[in-house]
Amino acid sequence: MQVTRKAVATSFIGGAMVLTLVALVHPSMLGLSTAPASPDHIIAQTQWGPLTESDRDFVVKVRAAGLWEYPVGQIGVQKGTTPAVITASKHLVDGHAALDTTCRKIAPMLNIVLPNVASPQQEGFVATLQQDTGERFDTDFANILRMTHGSIFNTVAKIRSTTKNTLVRALADQANDTVLDHITVMEKTGLVDFDQTFFTQTTPPKLPSTDVTPPPPQPGEPMVILTPPAGATSTPVDIDRIDANSGSPSNSGTAPSVTSTQAEN
């Protein structure tokens, strides 16, 4: 992530924390740099409703978010110096383990290939926090996570309000609750610089797509699983009971059916 750090350093003047955050934080928490050219383009007809480019990208983004926030949460539990930071870290692990379970369940039902590693940019977030110590860790942790969650919040709402696919809608419901919870616990640390957070959310640096896109898994590569922590409180969506037409619980089981109009992920 040294390239992005250099690219933005000349545009923003301030303390070390400001430079770090502006260089690292991009509005997409969950993987892809920009919206697809035709986000409403239907790529598959499924028994749960049409699947669009935006729907598919959203599932990938949720998966990619967990691939960097889950380990960051584990790091925070060990390195956080305040009870509030440690609590926020536990919420990251708990929430993303549950979201990951939902993603891994619906992805094969919708013929979506999930990444096994986060984007290079997201891996940069992890590397930065691995190197931080003490109060610097706490401050960077709270601000990076608050910015990324705040930026994705509107994306989750848009998917929830526009998708016609009941599986994606159920994932969006879960993601909405999780993101709001994570925003809240970051704010409760008392370390969030709201002026800088809002500035970065509205004027993000432009990064190459290769920096913000998670790579596809290698053929035959085992899927990474984010294991729920002991005493987990977040619950995955009960996909088995989603009604194909309404998205509401149903006791009738129906075999998965996807008619793809575009095979690539």
Side-chain angles (χ1 to χ4, degrees), residues 116-139:
N116 259 339
V117 295
S119 71
Q121 181 212 34
Q122 293 167 333
E123 291 293 299
F125 297 160
V126 180
T128 294
L129 293 169
Q130 284 175 327
Q131 295 171 5
D132 281 351
T133 58
E135 293 182 0
R136 177 60 181 270
F137 171 84
D138 293 344
T139 300

Side-chain angles (χ1 to χ4, degrees), residues 187-201:
E187 293 173 347
K188 286 183 177 180
T189 65
L191 299 172
V192 174
D193 181 338
F194 286 98
D195 289 339
Q196 187 59 40
T197 293
F198 300 152
F199 177 78
T200 306
Q201 286 179 194

Side-chain angles (χ1 to χ4, degrees), residues 18-193:
V18 173
L19 289 177
T20 298
L21 294 177
V22 173
L24 286 175
V25 179
H26 188 265
S28 174
M29 175 183 72
L30 302 172
L32 304 182
S33 57
T34 58
S38 301
D40 297 327
H41 173 62
I42 296 174
I43 58 174
Q45 293 291 350
T46 82
Q47 72 179 78
W48 301 278
L51 185 75
T52 66
E53 292 271 8
S54 291
D55 293 336
R56 180 183 61 184
D57 290 346
F58 178 69
V59 177
V60 172
K61 288 177 181 180
V62 175
R63 164 70 169 176
L67 292 172
W68 77 273
E69 290 185 39
Y70 182 96
V72 162
Q74 293 177 315
I75 294 169
V77 170
Q78 299 299 319
K79 296 175 67 172
T81 67
T82 71
V85 169
I86 293 172
T87 294
S89 300
K90 291 179 179 178
H91 278 237
L92 290 180
V93 174
D94 186 61
H96 280 289
L99 279 174
D100 191 67
T101 298
T102 302
C103 282
R104 287 185 289 103
K105 190 153 194 175
I106 72 173
M109 298 167 75
L110 298 174
N111 197 28
I112 296 174
V113 178
L114 296 176
N116 259 339
V117 295
S119 71
Q121 181 212 34
Q122 293 167 333
E123 291 293 299
F125 297 160
V126 180
T128 294
L129 293 169
Q130 284 175 327
Q131 295 171 5
D132 281 351
T133 58
E135 293 182 0
R136 177 60 181 270
F137 171 84
D138 293 344
T139 300
D140 283 353
F141 171 87
N143 282 276
I144 291 173
L145 272 299
R146 174 57 179 84
M147 287 184 186
T148 52
H149 283 82
S151 296
I152 199 61
F153 202 36
N154 289 337
T155 299
V156 176
K158 183 176 181 180
I159 290 293
R160 177 59 182 84
S161 64
T162 60
T163 185
K164 297 179 181 179
N165 188 284
T166 56
L167 296 182
V168 175
R169 189 177 304 124
L171 176 64
D173 280 339
Q174 184 186 358
N176 183 74
D177 292 342
T178 302
V179 172
L180 180 57
D181 173 67
H182 292 175
I183 286 175
T184 301
V185 292
M186 294 305 156
E187 293 173 347
K188 286 183 177 180
T189 65
L191 299 172
V192 174
D193 181 338

